[in-house]
Amino acid sequence: QASQEELKGAYRRLCMLYHPDKHRDPELKSQAERLFNLVHQAYEVLSDPQTRAIYDIYGRRGLEMEGWEVVERKRTPAEIREEFERLQREREERRLQQRTNPKGTISVGIDATDLFDRYDEEYEDVPGSSFPQIEINKMHISQSIEAPLTATDTAILSGNLSTQNGNGGGSINFALRRVTSAKGWGEMEFGAGDLQGPLFGLKIFRNLTPRCFITTNCALQFSSRGIRPGLTTVLARNLDKNTMGYLQWRWGIQSAMNTSIVRDTKTSHFTVALQLGIPHSFMMVSYQHKFQDEDQTRVKGSLKAGFFGTIVEYGAERKISRHSILGATVSVGVPQGVSLKVKLNRASQTYFFPVHLTDQLLPSAVFYATVGPLVIYFAMHRLVIKPYLRAQKERELEKQRESTASDILQKKQEAEAAVRLMQESVRRIIEAEEARMGLIVVNAWYGKFVNDNSRKNEKVKVIDVTVPLQCLVKDSKLILTEASKAGLPGFYDPCVGEEKNLKVLYQFRGVLHQVMSADNEALRIPKQ
């Protein structure tokens, strides 16, 4: 966004700094010539609105293409940007055509009640009865894929298979969704299964106002008993910035009326719901706290009470890798008993393992369901997950360092040459600042700092940037914009791919100050 006047001012200042005629030493002169030519090339590109537009959009590659293959030379900057946006849209459409958004769920139900609900008299004559029997009593697998047909039409194919205690079945569904406008979409669904007959459904979504929307879903289920119609309508409204209110009415199979309020903030998620229906009526309250750590840790608890009994649930989930989230929930209910539910989300796939521990309320079952997963997780995290992630990160960093090694070496040589050429200018700037009791950079470092004890084994990787920073001081002010500081004159990247900061110790009006700034953070000193 720099104006032509700002570009000219920066060009003049760098020309004065790197002009070859200002340096008599042959080595400094040759280094000055190289940097002076780089500054001149940059100014030539940025001072011409057309080449600047090409550089902004395509980078250096766009400037290096012979015969202006990227875009016609005669076009204006506005036309170049329009062409770029058109190419972006075409690329987005191609990407859309290739995207299938596969989503899947695998659920494996485990019956472990034999661990706690054993009746010894029944096992006296059974061989191997001293070992508890743990069985898989149900399984469910579902999968869906999307096939974008156009920018507004999408085809969705989904299927599922379920089995419980030796009996099972499955179904397959095909849906066609069309976005009718910015305010809504419609979807037609066709399905069939071996346990149930053909299904025909219609779903409509519509924004009524900017803060309110409605969803209606009607279905016809054909079976040997006849046609079973169903209708579900949901009305939702934004009550405030973080709170949604829902009203749901369901008629047909398991008719019910439901109302709920959901409040979702950066640190918490709260839900309260009330349902009146056949066969289930209940009230539910749940709360989830979101910790602001890099693992995105969340702890949650809920209470659900109704005609079916009362259930208390509590649990936690945590990110264990870039694409994986692991969670565990303990469910304690009357008359349901005690269960442990383990869930792993890996990208768009979900793996769910509900383990039924006992039909009774046994303190021992609650204790082991709570403590067991914690002990296993922390042991796995320390012995397996953490070393694996550390090794993976090191491999990625090493690969990045190797690919950029020659470029970084060149940048380092340019930075060192720039610092040598700045010495005389910096001496004059310091003299002028001392005379007016202005801004003097005492010390400055750029790179990776290690401050907390948990990272004490990591190596500090910083470079001294005192001279380049002092050279940027003008009228007792130092102003850096929101961009990586590795691109500043006299700087280079000392630790590719790692988090970097700038630490400055400076003197202003005879008083020492210290400031720490993130790599892409804007900096203005002296601080007001």
Side-chain angles (χ1 to χ4, degrees):
Q1 291 83 24
S3 65
Q4 285 298 321
E5 288 71 27
E6 288 173 313
L7 285 171
K8 282 177 187 173
Y11 177 58
R12 286 195 205 99
R13 187 170 56 78
L14 289 170
C15 282
M16 288 173 66
L17 188 64
Y18 297 141
H19 203 289
D21 294 346
K22 294 184 68 178
H23 306 280
R24 294 179 183 177
D25 183 280
E27 188 184 346
L28 284 177
K29 196 177 183 73
S30 68
Q31 290 170 349
E33 280 177 1
R34 189 153 52 86
L35 291 170
F36 183 80
N37 287 335
L38 283 172
V39 170
H40 184 65
Q41 287 170 17
Y43 183 67
E44 277 189 332
V45 170
L46 298 176
S47 59
D48 179 351
Q50 192 177 53
T51 53
R52 180 175 174 176
I54 292 171
Y55 178 74
D56 284 347
I57 296 166
Y58 301 101
R60 190 167 290 194
R61 181 177 161 272
L63 301 170
E64 290 171 353
M65 295 193 78
E66 295 178 10
W68 296 98
E69 295 166 317
V70 173
V71 70
E72 290 178 35
R73 181 76 171 141
K74 62 187 178 183
R75 293 193 179 185
T76 64
E79 289 173 328
I80 292 170
R81 290 181 189 280
E82 193 179 319
E83 173 74 4
F84 174 70
E85 287 168 4
R86 184 186 65 79
L87 292 171
Q88 283 281 76
R89 283 196 300 272
E90 287 181 2
R91 196 178 299 125
E92 193 62 39
E93 284 179 11
R94 283 197 299 273
R95 198 180 292 126
L96 189 71
Q97 308 253 342
Q98 295 164 357
R99 194 176 66 209
T100 57
N101 283 345
K103 293 177 187 173
T105 301
I106 296 177
S107 176
V108 179
I110 300 170
D111 183 357
T113 52
D114 203 30
L115 289 169
F116 299 96
D117 296 344
R118 298 192 56 161
Y119 299 95
D120 293 337
E121 62 272 12
E122 293 182 12
Y123 287 85
E124 286 176 358
D125 301 325
V126 180
S129 62
S130 58
F131 296 101
Q133 300 286 325
I134 297 175
E135 301 173 346
I136 293 175
N137 60 354
K138 56 184 175 182
M139 291 184 70
H140 175 80
I141 299 172
S142 64
Q143 187 74 31
S144 70
I145 57 169
E146 294 181 2
L149 307 176
T150 66
T152 58
D153 296 335
T154 304
I156 304 160
L157 184 67
S158 61
N160 66 79
L161 291 169
S162 299
T163 177
Q164 183 169 0
N165 297 325
N167 298 314
S171 65
I172 188 165
N173 293 63
F174 173 77
L176 189 64
R177 180 184 298 162
R178 165 165 283 191
V179 178
T180 53
S181 69
K183 290 186 174 182
W185 49 265
E187 182 178 293
M188 283 195 299
E189 183 181 13
F190 306 91
D194 57 348
L195 296 180
Q196 296 176 333
L199 168 77
F200 172 74
L202 181 65
K203 185 185 280 189
I204 297 170
F205 170 89
R206 180 78 179 175
N207 276 314
L208 303 177
T209 69
R211 299 180 61 185
C212 182
F213 69 83
I214 188 169
T215 303
T216 299
N217 184 12
C218 50
L220 293 175
Q221 178 76 61
F222 298 88
S223 67
S224 56
R225 299 177 185 176
I227 301 174
R228 301 170 69 185
L231 177 66
T232 302
T233 300
V234 179
L235 179 67
R237 180 179 170 79
N238 277 93
L239 303 178
D240 65 31
K241 180 180 163 186
N242 300 307
T243 309
M244 289 288 293
Y246 297 90
L247 286 171
Q248 184 187 72
W249 178 63
R250 189 167 62 242
W251 172 78
I253 306 165
Q254 294 189 346
S255 298
M257 289 181 67
N258 182 300
T259 181
S260 59
I261 295 175
V262 180
R263 181 168 178 80
D264 193 11
T265 67
K266 191 177 179 182
T267 58
S268 65
H269 183 95
F270 175 76
T271 303
V272 58
L274 175 67
Q275 176 172 304
L276 300 173
I278 303 169
H280 294 309
S281 292
F282 65 85
M283 185 173 181
M284 188 268 288
V285 178
S286 73
Y287 177 79
Q288 183 181 85
H289 184 75
K290 307 172 188 176
F291 291 91
Q292 302 303 300
D293 58 354
E294 61 180 13
D295 293 324
Q296 299 176 12
T297 307
R298 300 181 178 193
V299 293
K300 55 189 175 181
S302 70
L303 171 65
K304 192 174 181 180
F307 293 165
F308 52 80
T310 302
I311 299 174
V312 175
E313 290 190 340
Y314 57 90
E317 65 177 43
R318 199 175 198 187
K319 192 174 181 181
I320 57 172
S321 72
R322 189 181 301 172
H323 303 293
S324 302
I325 296 173
L326 181 65
T329 303
V330 178
S331 177
V332 182
V334 178
Q336 291 83 1
V338 181
S339 297
L340 171 66
K341 302 170 185 176
V342 179
K343 184 167 75 169
L344 174 66
N345 284 336
R346 172 73 181 168
S348 59
Q349 302 294 311
T350 301
Y351 304 90
F352 187 53
F353 302 92
V355 184
H356 189 49
L357 298 175
T358 172
D359 293 321
Q360 308 170 53
L361 285 182
L362 297 179
S364 58
V366 177
F367 174 79
Y368 285 113
T370 305
V371 175
L374 287 173
V375 172
I376 294 169
Y377 169 76
F378 283 114
M380 289 286 289
H381 189 263
R382 190 171 184 82
L383 300 175
V384 179
I385 297 171
K386 213 170 178 181
Y388 170 76
L389 292 177
R390 195 185 301 122
Q392 188 183 46
K393 188 178 179 182
E394 280 300 319
R395 283 196 301 271
E396 288 175 359
L397 284 174
E398 194 59 40
K399 194 174 177 182
Q400 199 173 354
R401 287 190 200 108
E402 286 174 6
S403 64
T404 58
S406 58
D407 188 42
I408 293 297
L409 181 62
Q410 184 186 344
K411 296 282 185 190
K412 182 181 178 182
Q413 291 168 350
E414 285 178 5
E416 289 170 348
V419 169
R420 284 194 290 271
L421 296 169
M422 289 174 184
Q423 297 291 348
E424 184 60 32
S425 295
V426 166
R427 187 183 61 78
R428 289 197 301 272
I429 291 169
I430 290 174
E431 285 176 0
E433 292 296 324
E434 282 177 340
R436 63 163 77 110
M437 293 280 286
L439 178 60
I440 296 168
V441 179
V442 179
N443 280 115
W445 302 271
Y446 173 66
K448 177 186 174 184
F449 295 86
V450 178
N451 296 321
D452 59 69
N453 291 329
S454 63
R455 298 167 60 202
K456 60 187 177 184
N457 295 327
E458 296 182 29
K459 189 178 176 184
V460 176
K461 300 171 188 172
V462 295
I463 56 172
D464 189 327
V465 290
T466 309
V467 172
L469 268 192
Q470 186 69 64
C471 196
L472 292 170
V473 172
K474 186 180 179 184
D475 299 330
S476 298
K477 290 189 189 114
L478 175 64
I479 301 170
L480 303 179
T481 56
E482 290 182 4
S484 175
K485 294 167 180 66
L488 293 171
F491 282 63
Y492 68 93
D493 192 342
C495 45
V496 176
E498 298 185 68
E499 187 180 326
K500 290 173 280 290
N501 288 280
L502 174 65
K503 187 176 183 180
V504 187
L505 181 68
Y506 67 94
Q507 185 176 300
F508 184 70
R509 300 280 186 257
V511 181
L512 277 174
H513 302 272
Q514 182 174 287
V515 66
M516 191 91 151
S517 169
D519 188 26
N520 289 291
E521 186 183 351
L523 176 67
R524 183 187 179 99
I525 55 176
K527 295 276 188 183
Q528 297 300 310

